[in-house]
Amino acid sequence: MSTQPKLTRFKQNVKSKYQIYNSIFMTLPFDSITKTGALLPLFHETCQKGFKAGDDPTIIVETFFKKYQARRSKESQLNLLFRFIQYIERQVVLFDAIEDAAFPIVNNMDGIGTLRSLKESAISENKLEDLQRYLEEFKVRIVLTAHPTQFYPGSVLGIITDLTEAIKENDLLRINDLLAQLGKTPFFKHKKPTPYDEAVSLIWYLEHVFYYSFGQIYDYIQQNIFEGKHIENDIINIGFWPGGDRDGNPFVTPEITLKVAARLRETILKNYYRDIRRLKRKLTFNGVEDRISKIEIQLYKAFTTSQKNPITLAHLVSELNDIKAIVKKDHQSLYIDEVNSLLNKTQLFGFHFGILDIRQDSRAHAAVFNAMVDKVIASGSSIFPKNYHDLTEKEQVKVLSKIKGSVDVSLFDEEDVLKTLNTMKAIKTIQETNGEKAASRYIISNNQTTLNVMQLYAMLKLVAFQEELTVDIGPLFETITDLENAPAVMEELYTNPDYAKHLKKRGNRQTIMLGFSDGTKDGGYLMANWAIFKAKERLTQVSRKYDVTVIFFDGRGGPPARGGGKTHQFYASLGPTIEDKEVQLTIQGQTISSNFGTLESSQYNLEQLISSGILNRLNDTNAAMLKENIKVMDDLASLSYKAYSEFKNHPMFVPYLERMSTLKYYAKTNIGSRPSKRGTSDKLIFEDLRAIPFVGSWSQLKQNVPGFFGVGTALKYYEEKGQFDRVKKLYSSSSFFKTLVENSMMSLSKSFFDLTKYMADNEEFGAFWTIIYTEYETSKRLLLKLTGSKELMEEEPAGKASIDMRESIVLPLLTIQQYALKKIQELEKAEVRDEEQIAVFEKIVTRSLFGNINASRNSA
């Protein structure tokens, strides 16, 4: 029986099921306001008809009340809107659970991009040995971040997991109970989470999903590609930012970092303990049973008592290897695969589970470092020359490269200095308890100069690593200017004899992080992506020149505006001019739950990432970009950058975001521990805007500006010059540009300008809204012309159907949000401010953020 098209599978297993289960949900009797479930479909229909007729959100809401609820008091009407918000939030959860349950049916788990497909194509092309060789040195690291774009509290995540299982089994009674539970479970967090809370909620995915999906993938590679032989390389691992990322988050303390590392260690030991208990029931043979029992007791003690190191990783691995040998020799290899699978997990996760990255801004480091120098000089120490601050930057770098000595942290009493220096001591402590790998990288965000790197290098050595620096320093280049300067900075580091010596001890591997979100905010969609591509080429070139393997770590978020979208396609499209021995990227917020939230989706998406990196190396047709294509790409990026820069510098840009969008409400959602903007100024400054509220606010407006603005203007230039065929040639021959285009089309398909069309008549912001809408129309028209499509995402009908369903679910929510925003604007202009009413509508705006973000899955 032939497999049905993906769109048909989606309609049968997602769309139809949603309609059935939603109808059950809408009739459940858990609501204190009567008939909410019956009224919501009527409100949904009013929204659809209203926008079609060109009505604005205020007219739509008022029409609904006039037509269906004319007798309700104003207070009762507002209460009903709150109830609608609560219902829609839960409809989104239901849709998430149904889509998760259908994942292995809708997606071909053995299709293109999976390991089975990769193995079969390697065998058919006689390249199995090449594949083995690549896998012996290739790695994928996904780094979970605490960036706040996930609005589900832990209790709701638990319901989604249970609901997904019940839907898979078509267990109607259980589904009914879970929907009722969902209706009564609060979504709103009254208190901001601490960084430790964020870490605990993400460790849930490590414990319940990644432990198993990573294990299965590694077992498959070993058994089917390496024919059971041991592989030295771990191939896949997890990075972890909650508790270590202190960039702009004053709540991340050294104590939190240590506490998170302890929790990671405790969790992996518990997982090993559970596996050992399962093995104990099977390995009931002479010479094995007693040894398994001893391991069980030692592991239990390791996470339940304060006894120091009742078991080491080396001892656990040695014992398991001995047991494996005995089972093979004396017991006909019975259950040997289970022993081997546990051994593989110890190789993947050690006693650290996730690799904890530390991150801080270069400006924060500089302030701490200079304060440290002053104090050390004042104490009479000769570590720094007395005239250190008068030296040139090059001279300072020279001093720092040769730094020796030890700095006593008790010299200091300034809070920021103590936090930073004690964090460095914490890294050393974590390495001693969880293994060196557990905390072995420090990222410097907003890195601009060689001095930024050497200041951290010197601090680490003076405070905690006098004997040997067992930490990799990873500069993060974010803005367009920093990306241009990055190769020169790295060349200075590579030619510094002392830094080169440090790199040699670290295997001549240098991590360089390249940020998308601030790049997009700074330079617009096309320029950010192209600037990163070119920076990678030049950084590869300079690294190869000095015999250094550069590891690119991409700050990719969920949406195209943060470098996300079809991530695996990006890695498959990079070409031979970019180093590709490792794929490393950040995963955040709802992208964690949507792409890696279940065993199937986690395994599928990890396999796609592995195969995209490998295909880039196995693929004979993977040529560098043609010279004429580079010229077109350069032009498109420059034209787009100019258009975006003019737009960004428009006097209405910041006021529009501040007063017409949901930007200022992000801070009130209590979804993340980090402040929603940098700086302490009351006035909103563009540079202080964090990327998540910035991108998220455009998404809530359904004007996904960071994912398309400037694209239309750049394409129009070529159209007007009669040279559009040059762009078409670029599109047909460059998979990198093709991926950019497809991701931009996704951003456009999630835009809905009818929602804010009323702003065109606004005296203050009408002209500015029209600029955005014109660019949207131009981008849409020319991207369709470029791809030869009749509609956006034509080549991805199932993906488009999912987006359309989600957008339809939240249409009433968006309408309510805009209605409330407009009411706030009117109330604020009144001669006498009604603070009580303003507070009510502000609460409506804040509450409506949750469902909109969750529905978008990769919106911020």
Side-chain angles (χ1 to χ4, degrees):
M1 187 179 152
S2 63
T3 309
Q4 292 171 314
K6 193 173 180 179
L7 180 61
T8 307
R9 299 199 301 272
F10 176 85
K11 283 178 177 173
Q12 287 175 352
N13 295 282
V14 180
K15 193 174 179 179
S16 298
K17 279 191 176 180
Y18 173 75
Q19 286 162 347
I20 293 163
Y21 295 137
N22 185 47
S23 62
I24 296 169
F25 172 68
M26 298 300 270
T27 56
L28 287 172
F30 52 68
D31 179 28
S32 60
I33 290 188
T34 53
K35 297 181 183 171
T36 307
L39 289 170
L40 183 53
L42 294 172
F43 181 56
H44 190 278
E45 189 186 5
T46 308
C47 292
Q48 283 179 318
K49 285 181 177 172
F51 286 122
K52 225 173 205 172
D55 294 339
D56 69 46
T58 306
I59 291 170
I60 290 168
V61 171
E62 286 171 354
T63 301
F64 168 75
F65 281 126
K66 201 181 289 178
K67 191 171 178 182
Y68 299 107
Q69 295 290 295
R71 291 180 185 172
R72 276 189 192 271
S73 66
K74 284 286 176 200
E75 189 185 350
S76 178
Q77 287 179 0
L78 290 173
N79 282 339
L80 183 61
L81 293 181
F82 274 114
R83 292 292 169 189
F84 282 164
I85 291 169
Q86 290 174 331
Y87 265 68
I88 296 160
E89 281 172 349
R90 287 152 178 79
Q91 285 179 314
V92 172
V93 169
L94 175 59
F95 190 80
D96 280 350
I98 292 167
E99 209 164 34
D100 285 346
F103 190 93
I105 302 165
V106 174
N107 296 280
N108 185 352
M109 300 298 282
D110 294 322
I112 293 166
T114 62
L115 286 174
R116 185 184 293 272
S117 165
L118 186 67
K119 183 198 79 170
E120 285 171 0
S121 65
I123 289 169
S124 68
E125 293 170 34
N126 210 19
K127 287 185 177 178
L128 187 62
E129 282 184 17
D130 289 344
L131 177 59
Q132 288 173 347
R133 197 165 59 251
Y134 291 147
L135 281 167
E136 277 165 354
E137 61 174 8
F138 178 74
K139 291 177 191 279
V140 168
R141 183 185 299 185
I142 58 168
V143 180
L144 308 187
T145 78
H147 293 344
T149 60
Q150 170 59 272
F151 285 76
Y152 295 140
S155 53
V156 175
L157 284 172
I159 295 170
I160 294 175
T161 305
D162 294 344
L163 194 52
T164 301
E165 285 307 310
I167 288 164
K168 274 183 189 170
E169 293 159 16
N170 286 318
D171 186 341
L172 204 56
L173 283 173
R174 194 159 161 240
I175 290 166
N176 197 67
D177 287 347
L178 286 163
L179 289 174
Q181 183 188 346
L182 188 64
K184 290 181 173 292
T185 302
F187 275 43
F188 187 68
K189 294 174 181 174
H190 293 287
K191 265 192 342 192
K192 263 183 172 299
T194 66
Y196 183 69
D197 295 335
E198 289 171 332
V200 168
S201 66
L202 282 187
I203 289 170
W204 185 92
Y205 288 102
L206 270 68
E207 183 176 7
H208 298 284
V209 180
F210 292 120
Y211 182 76
Y212 300 101
S213 62
F214 274 48
Q216 284 177 11
I217 288 169
Y218 199 81
D219 290 350
Y220 180 88
I221 291 170
Q222 188 186 53
Q223 294 305 319
N224 296 281
I225 297 174
F226 285 86
E227 293 158 352
K229 289 196 282 284
H230 176 72
I231 318 162
E232 286 300 325
N233 182 23
D234 56 7
I235 303 172
I236 39 178
N237 50 54
I238 304 170
F240 202 76
W241 273 18
D245 179 12
R246 49 214 350 104
D247 177 11
N249 193 341
F251 308 112
V252 178
T253 62
E255 294 73 28
I256 291 274
T257 304
L258 288 165
K259 200 175 169 188
V260 168
R263 181 66 176 246
L264 283 163
R265 185 178 193 273
E266 179 192 311
T267 308
I268 190 60
L269 289 170
K270 281 180 179 174
N271 276 38
Y272 292 156
Y273 173 73
R274 283 192 284 262
D275 273 1
I276 283 288
R277 280 179 67 84
R278 278 191 282 268
L279 264 177
K280 189 182 166 191
R281 292 183 66 173
K282 294 178 177 180
L283 301 182
T284 49
F285 324 136
N286 284 338
V288 171
E289 191 175 19
D290 288 349
R291 292 179 82 159
I292 282 279
S293 291
K294 273 183 188 163
I295 296 172
E296 180 194 8
I297 292 161
Q298 287 168 331
L299 282 171
Y300 184 74
K301 279 182 183 170
F303 62 82
T304 57
T305 69
S306 56
Q307 187 184 332
K308 206 178 174 190
N309 295 337
I311 186 168
T312 63
L313 178 62
H315 177 70
L316 175 63
V317 171
S318 168
E319 283 296 290
L320 287 172
N321 273 317
D322 285 355
I323 288 164
K324 182 179 163 184
I326 295 166
V327 168
K328 188 177 180 180
K329 181 173 169 279
D330 299 338
H331 304 293
Q332 293 78 47
S333 295
L334 191 58
Y335 300 126
I336 202 163
D337 284 349
E338 280 95 326
V339 180
N340 202 54
S341 185
L342 181 53
L343 266 168
N344 285 344
K345 290 191 182 85
T346 63
Q347 186 171 342
L348 293 176
F349 304 119
F351 274 10
H352 59 271
F353 214 162
I355 300 162
L356 195 61
D357 279 342
I358 308 299
R359 183 173 80 128
Q360 180 57 290
D361 190 285
S362 64
R363 292 162 293 194
H365 279 153
V368 166
F369 181 78
N370 290 327
M372 182 184 85
V373 171
D374 291 342
K375 207 63 165 251
V376 169
I377 292 171
S379 74
S381 166
S382 59
I383 289 174
F384 296 101
K386 286 192 169 64
N387 66 338
Y388 176 82
H389 291 305
D390 301 324
L391 300 176
T392 64
E393 206 163 291
K394 276 200 166 158
E395 288 168 336
Q396 287 183 344
V397 166
K398 197 173 179 186
V399 168
L400 300 182
S401 343
K402 302 194 175 302
I403 208 88
K404 279 192 172 68
S406 173
V407 167
D408 184 358
V409 175
S410 66
L411 272 176
F412 309 98
D413 46 24
E414 301 97 320
E415 191 186 354
D416 285 346
V417 175
L418 283 169
K419 267 188 188 177
T420 304
L421 301 185
N422 278 323
T423 296
M424 292 171 193
K425 288 173 82 73
I427 297 170
K428 186 81 184 284
T429 304
I430 294 165
Q431 288 192 358
E432 286 162 0
T433 54
N434 295 13
E436 186 187 306
K437 205 173 177 182
S440 51
R441 183 165 70 183
Y442 201 127
I443 307 291
I444 311 169
S445 47
N446 188 46
N447 195 95
Q448 297 175 340
T449 64
T450 308
L451 185 62
N452 293 153
V453 174
M454 295 314 293
Q455 284 175 341
L456 176 60
Y457 173 85
M459 282 193 284
L460 285 164
K461 290 191 82 165
L462 292 171
V463 172
F465 294 90
Q466 288 90 5
E467 306 303 316
E468 187 186 351
L469 180 54
T470 51
V471 178
D472 298 318
I473 297 172
L476 162 53
F477 300 102
E478 297 181 75
T479 65
I480 304 302
T481 308
D482 291 346
L483 288 166
E484 284 170 8
N485 296 337
V489 169
M490 295 317 299
E491 185 149 30
E492 279 183 30
L493 287 166
Y494 295 154
T495 53
N496 179 309
D498 297 282
Y499 189 80
K501 209 162 140 191
H502 163 67
L503 272 187
K504 198 170 184 186
K505 284 182 181 169
R506 305 298 293 164
N508 265 351
R509 297 163 82 80
Q510 172 67 56
T511 297
I512 299 175
M513 189 173 179
L514 300 159
F516 272 89
S517 49
D518 282 322
T520 312
K521 198 184 103 188
D522 184 46
Y525 177 71
L526 276 186
M527 178 54 96
N529 281 283
W530 183 232
I532 284 168
F533 184 92
K534 287 200 298 183
K536 280 185 176 179
E537 284 193 318
R538 289 162 61 221
L539 287 164
T540 298
Q541 203 175 11
V542 75
S543 300
R544 286 175 179 170
K545 180 180 167 184
Y546 295 101
D547 199 26
V548 173
T549 300
V550 64
I551 309 298
F552 291 119
F553 175 22
D554 289 318
R556 292 178 172 275
R562 287 175 62 77
K566 301 176 196 69
T567 307
H568 56 275
Q569 287 184 13
F570 260 112
Y571 289 112
S573 74
L574 291 178
T577 54
I578 290 174
E579 196 68 79
D580 59 356
K581 288 205 170 94
E582 287 199 29
V583 166
Q584 292 197 14
L585 69 158
T586 56
I587 309 283
Q588 70 190 39
Q590 350 70 315
T591 314
I592 296 172
S593 54
S594 62
N595 287 2
F596 300 96
T598 65
L599 194 56
E600 291 91 354
S601 64
S602 171
Q603 191 166 334
Y604 180 82
N605 285 304
L606 277 166
E607 287 189 18
Q608 292 288 324
L609 280 172
I610 294 168
S611 67
S612 67
I614 295 288
L615 278 170
N616 198 18
R617 310 180 80 189
L618 280 177
N619 194 346
D620 292 335
T621 60
N622 185 25
M625 201 182 276
L626 301 167
K627 266 189 178 166
E628 59 263 40
N629 281 345
I630 291 172
K631 172 76 177 81
V632 175
M633 196 66 231
D634 271 335
D635 281 352
L636 289 172
S638 298
L639 291 160
S640 168
Y641 182 44
K642 185 174 179 287
Y644 178 77
S645 297
E646 285 171 6
F647 172 65
K648 186 181 76 175
N649 295 326
H650 192 289
M652 286 293 119
F653 187 92
V654 172
Y656 181 81
L657 274 177
E658 195 169 22
R659 285 157 51 200
M660 304 301 277
S661 84
T662 57
L663 183 71
K664 64 184 177 188
Y665 298 96
Y666 267 77
K668 300 176 183 182
T669 55
N670 291 332
I671 54 159
S673 66
R674 202 159 73 153
S676 60
K677 72 181 184 73
R678 295 179 178 91
T680 52
S681 166
D682 287 340
K683 194 181 171 203
L684 187 64
I685 301 162
F686 179 78
E687 286 70 27
D688 286 348
L689 284 178
R690 288 204 174 280
I692 287 166
F694 175 73
V695 173
S697 298
W698 290 114
S699 171
Q700 296 275 329
L701 280 166
K702 289 292 148 192
Q703 304 168 2
N704 289 306
V705 160
F708 72 80
F709 202 96
V711 175
T713 298
L715 294 174
K716 193 179 174 190
Y717 171 83
Y718 273 86
E719 184 187 48
E720 287 175 347
K721 273 183 76 176
Q723 294 182 1
F724 203 71
D725 57 323
R726 291 179 69 192
V727 188
K728 281 195 164 180
K729 187 183 176 189
L730 171 66
Y731 177 74
S732 63
S733 58
S734 165
S735 48
F736 169 76
F737 182 61
K738 190 171 191 286
T739 306
L740 274 188
V741 163
E742 287 172 359
N743 281 338
S744 193
M745 288 173 91
M746 187 198 291
S747 289
L748 289 166
S749 69
K750 290 184 176 183
S751 298
F752 180 59
F753 278 83
D754 285 352
L755 180 72
T756 55
K757 199 183 273 180
Y758 71 91
M759 292 182 189
D761 300 324
N762 184 289
E763 202 175 304
E764 199 175 353
F765 295 107
F768 187 75
W769 182 90
T770 305
I771 291 170
I772 303 168
Y773 181 60
T774 305
E775 184 65 21
Y776 162 80
E777 285 288 304
T778 307
S779 300
K780 184 179 173 182
R781 177 179 70 80
L782 289 170
L783 284 172
L784 290 174
K785 180 179 177 178
L786 175 64
T787 57
S789 305
K790 289 186 175 65
E791 59 176 25
L792 296 167
M793 294 183 71
E794 197 175 275
E795 288 185 18
E796 284 185 276
K800 188 177 186 307
S802 174
I803 288 170
D804 289 348
M805 284 282 293
R806 289 175 176 278
E807 295 298 316
S808 174
I809 291 167
V810 295
L811 184 66
L813 199 55
L814 291 162
T815 310
I816 291 167
Q817 186 184 85
Q818 282 299 318
Y819 166 73
L821 281 168
K822 202 156 181 280
K823 283 287 182 195
I824 292 164
Q825 289 155 22
E826 287 167 11
L827 287 162
E828 284 180 339
K829 282 177 188 167
E831 282 181 29
V832 181
R833 281 170 65 98
D834 186 338
E835 296 295 349
E836 204 176 309
Q837 277 291 291
I838 289 172
V840 170
F841 285 112
E842 284 188 332
K843 192 179 174 189
I844 287 177
V845 174
T846 305
R847 292 293 286 110
S848 64
L849 288 168
F850 292 60
N852 287 332
I853 285 282
N854 289 330
S856 294
R857 282 213 152 176
N858 67 357
S859 63

